[in-house]
Amino acid sequence: QHVLGFLWLMTALFLLQYTDKEEVVLWMNTVGPYHNRQETYKYFSLPFCVGTKKTISHYHETLGEALQGVELEFSGLDIKFKEEVMQTTYCDIELDKPKRDAFVYAIKNHYWYQMYIDDLPIWGIVGEADENGEDYYLWTYKKLEIGQNGNRIVDVNLTSEGKVKLVPNTRIPMSYSVKWKKSDVKFEDRFDKYLDPSFFQHRIHWFSIFNSFMMVIFLVGLVSMILMRTLRKDYARYSKEEEMDDMDRDLGDEYGWKQVHGDVFRPSSHPLIFSSLIGSGCQIFSVSLIVIILAMIEDLYTERGSMLSTAIFVYAATSPVNGYFGGSLYAKQGGRRWIKQMFIGAFLIPAMVCGTAFFINFIAIYYHASRAIPFGTMVAVCCICFFVILPLNLVGTILGRNLSGQPNFPCRVNAVPRPIPEKKWFMEPAVIVCLGGILPFGSIFIEMYFIFTSFWAYKIYYVYGFMMLVLVILCIVTVCVTIVCTYFLLNAEDYRWQWTSFLSAASTAVYVYMYSFYYYFFKTK
Ligand SMILES: *[C@@H]1O[C@H](CO)[C@@H](O)[C@H](O)[C@H]1NC(C)=O
């Protein structure tokens, strides 16, 4: 962490300093509708024209940027540090019919474009329609005001002026001007103006966290009370039965979880998938924990795509966790095809994520969206999977099998499985699974609202402290819920607790997924 922080500081100190008249690059990034941040196209997919300045080396994007559809292209504008530029025309758009139609479509859909100066994002609106929606106007004059503090750029404001009506077969001159101002903003604080504390640190957010905390305390109290009291009662009942002689015991009506003691350590059904899922879950948990902690320390949002790059790096590095827990669980369950388990465990999540991304990629290519992932990036991701994730997973699996692969259960497994008795409908595993996810979902859905908002709207999520708290709350609630679910299931003398316990917490994901549909259709435009 210190090395990372130090490197970052060094970069900030040396790379982002300018000398007078040094070239400052204005990068054009994307255009897209204001109401959906995820739908982006290349800036020059609209028939904008490029400035006259040609020579610029290509921008090298990071892995995270490539995956998030960042498409930096040089604007061709001539900007030099601390050099004022009066309004200058940098190119003309020859507006023919197709070009006009493209602009009209963009204006109708409230397209915004995004640019970068010195890593600072700048947003501007493409154009405007008049009230009756007949005439369309393009903003043609980009007025840039750049704040400098010492030899660093700390602030950029863009004002769009020069409204020009879109008439076919005309020439539209595009112009820009640059004004430099002294600014007191500190370099470290230059991203603060993009954050929205009144939204993210709203009273509702604090209140919901407080609420969830109350729920956790209540739930933990409830669980420990129920378990303590019922378990004590159960033990008392069982020990009384113990005192009766064999004759009575055979006649006595034993019931409850003790009946299944010879079956609870029976391997789960589909142990291969089960242990792969558990291993992957352990890995995801450690990735979330580490990435959130890094984000809390490091302000990862200030650099494009650095969050995603970090997450990929941490995911690859934590592969041994996956192998260890998946492999040892599989060995404990008596599985023999451990190589197959290792492959499935290692590639379960990468395959699902890449499969989804592949599918989205087709759509992106079809619509010429900038999300389309370049071929080189795909190869890079595959290389990470095969040459980093797989070997690390192998190490973890071997460690797991050897260190904790021995089954050490407190009682023997009966040779013949016990029949599962009839039970009330709400004790069926399927019902328990569906109900189990409600409480964990209830403890996180407000946070999901903020996350979805930053995903689809132009708001930068930066309150990772909140996210950390919510993660902790989610873990505690999940643990409580699965304990209670398992207790109920075993008490109904159903010994298939492994999958029920796993799925009763996993159903939270289904609720979150459904909530994302609700959010998309009813909360966004
Ligand atoms: C940009 O706009 C904000 C708010 O209007 C202002 O406080 C700031 O000084 C401006 N920065 C520059 C460089 O003009």
Side-chain angles (χ1 to χ4, degrees):
Q1 181 49 46
H2 281 101
V3 171
L4 261 184
F6 181 73
L7 286 179
W8 194 85
L9 195 75
M10 288 293 120
T11 325
L13 281 177
F14 292 115
L15 288 185
L16 300 179
Q17 288 201 22
Y18 293 90
T19 51
D20 286 6
K21 307 227 186 259
E22 191 181 328
E23 175 182 51
V24 177
V25 181
L26 180 67
W27 295 105
M28 296 312 201
N29 186 19
T30 51
V31 286
Y34 175 69
H35 293 297
N36 184 1
R37 183 181 167 180
Q38 296 299 318
E39 184 188 339
T40 51
Y41 306 93
K42 277 185 197 170
Y43 178 79
F44 289 109
S45 67
L46 279 184
F48 285 117
C49 55
V50 193
T52 43
K53 193 155 176 257
K54 289 281 180 277
T55 50
I56 185 82
S57 55
H58 181 69
Y59 178 78
H60 294 284
E61 54 188 13
T62 63
L63 186 62
E65 284 177 317
L67 290 174
Q68 283 182 330
V70 174
E71 291 272 351
L72 297 191
E73 279 170 293
F74 182 46
S75 58
L77 300 192
D78 196 6
I79 301 175
K80 295 207 172 78
F81 193 66
K82 285 197 199 166
E83 202 176 74
E84 305 264 320
V85 179
M86 303 311 270
Q87 182 173 4
T88 313
T89 302
Y90 60 90
C91 61
D92 296 302
I93 301 175
E94 306 276 354
L95 198 72
D96 51 15
K97 187 80 178 47
K99 284 188 184 174
R100 179 183 184 268
D101 291 346
F103 277 124
V104 166
Y105 179 83
I107 292 167
K108 263 190 193 158
N109 289 290
H110 308 279
Y111 270 36
W112 284 55
Y113 57 86
Q114 198 198 16
M115 313 184 287
Y116 279 105
I117 273 192
D118 194 54
D119 285 348
L120 288 173
I122 313 162
W123 288 278
I125 191 158
V126 171
E128 207 177 77
D130 66 355
E131 286 95 58
N132 47 30
E134 306 229 317
D135 292 333
Y136 293 92
Y137 301 92
L138 189 71
W139 295 107
T140 60
Y141 175 26
K142 295 182 180 58
K143 211 166 141 187
L144 286 165
E145 287 177 324
I146 307 180
Q148 111 268 358
N149 185 356
N151 40 16
R152 298 221 187 85
I153 293 176
V154 292
D155 190 12
V156 183
N157 286 351
L158 171 73
T159 322
S160 294
E161 285 181 12
K163 212 156 81 166
V164 172
K165 191 170 161 185
L166 288 171
V167 182
N169 305 318
T170 50
R171 214 165 218 279
I172 298 180
M174 301 293 283
S175 56
Y176 79 110
S177 70
V178 183
K179 212 179 199 164
W180 292 87
K181 284 186 183 168
K182 267 208 158 47
S183 168
D184 301 328
V185 178
K186 285 209 203 69
F187 182 73
E188 304 83 63
D189 301 334
R190 64 181 188 156
F191 276 92
D192 287 359
K193 77 168 189 174
Y194 298 99
L195 310 180
D196 190 350
S198 63
F199 177 72
F200 282 107
Q201 278 153 305
H202 193 268
R203 231 177 312 131
I204 290 189
H205 204 168
W206 287 104
F207 190 72
S208 83
I209 300 257
F210 179 71
N211 226 4
S212 301
F213 249 124
M214 289 329 240
M215 189 167 104
V216 164
I217 293 172
F218 173 73
L219 210 66
V220 173
L222 197 75
V223 168
S224 46
M225 208 175 69
I226 290 181
L227 285 190
M228 287 304 149
R229 290 187 59 178
T230 46
L231 281 183
R232 197 180 304 145
K233 255 203 290 194
D234 290 346
Y235 273 119
R237 184 160 55 81
Y238 285 133
S239 61
K240 211 158 69 199
E241 279 161 6
E242 206 94 310
E243 284 162 13
M244 297 190 268
D245 54 38
D246 286 349
M247 188 60 189
D248 284 349
R249 210 184 319 169
D250 283 347
L251 293 176
D253 49 349
E254 279 203 338
Y255 62 92
W257 47 265
K258 201 182 173 190
Q259 296 298 90
V260 290
H261 70 272
D263 292 287
V264 279
F265 298 115
R266 197 176 289 292
S268 59
S269 57
H270 312 289
L272 201 150
I273 299 285
F274 186 71
S275 39
S276 305
L277 280 171
I278 297 287
S280 304
C282 293
Q283 188 181 6
I284 292 186
F285 178 69
S286 36
V287 172
S288 321
L289 205 65
I290 296 172
V291 170
I292 292 177
I293 290 174
L294 284 181
M296 280 164 71
I297 304 171
E298 232 2 65
D299 289 352
L300 290 179
Y301 56 82
T302 55
E303 275 172 280
R304 297 177 296 271
S306 60
M307 191 70 163
L308 192 59
S309 303
T310 313
I312 292 175
F313 174 75
V314 175
Y315 183 85
T318 51
S319 292
V321 176
N322 183 343
Y324 184 88
F325 287 101
S328 65
L329 184 65
Y330 188 63
K332 268 185 205 159
Q333 302 213 345
R336 289 183 204 292
R337 291 174 296 167
W338 67 275
I339 295 187
K340 191 172 172 197
Q341 189 277 328
M342 186 195 72
F343 270 98
I344 290 185
F347 291 139
L348 191 65
I349 290 174
M352 280 197 289
V353 172
C354 293
T356 314
F358 200 64
F359 174 64
I360 294 175
N361 216 17
F362 272 115
I363 301 176
I365 291 171
Y366 179 77
Y367 286 106
H368 303 288
S370 67
R371 285 258 141 181
I373 298 168
F375 181 71
T377 311
M378 284 191 203
V379 174
V381 170
C382 289
C383 286
I384 292 178
C385 284
F386 282 105
F387 300 123
V388 182
I389 293 182
L390 194 59
L392 287 180
N393 213 300
L394 177 69
V395 173
T397 308
I398 290 173
L399 279 181
R401 288 179 64 80
N402 290 318
L403 294 184
S404 67
Q406 294 305 317
N408 54 345
F409 302 131
C411 51
R412 269 189 312 117
V413 177
N414 291 349
V416 183
R418 200 171 179 279
I420 296 163
E422 283 280 308
K423 48 187 174 295
K424 296 202 189 71
W425 63 270
F426 55 84
M427 288 294 176
E428 288 297 332
V431 179
I432 293 182
V433 163
C434 289
L435 296 180
I438 291 178
L439 277 183
F441 174 69
S443 66
I444 60 167
F445 87 96
I446 301 267
E447 199 59 29
M448 291 319 295
Y449 174 84
F450 286 98
I451 294 171
F452 289 153
T453 307
S454 68
F455 185 78
W456 276 306
Y458 285 88
K459 289 196 190 296
I460 298 176
Y461 190 94
Y462 69 99
V463 281
Y464 289 98
F466 283 97
M467 203 188 245
M468 188 74 200
L469 280 179
V470 171
L471 182 71
V472 171
I473 291 172
L474 177 67
C475 289
I476 300 175
V477 173
T478 306
V479 166
C480 293
V481 164
T482 45
I483 289 177
V484 171
C485 288
T486 308
Y487 177 79
F488 281 134
L489 193 79
L490 291 182
N491 226 14
E493 297 176 19
D494 187 340
Y495 58 83
R496 300 168 297 177
W497 62 277
Q498 288 104 331
W499 278 103
T500 314
S501 152
F502 177 76
L503 291 176
S504 63
S507 62
T508 311
V510 178
Y511 289 111
V512 171
Y513 193 51
M514 292 194 310
Y515 182 53
S516 75
F517 278 92
Y518 168 79
Y519 186 95
Y520 184 75
F521 285 109
F522 295 104
K523 296 283 176 201
T524 69
K525 296 181 184 162

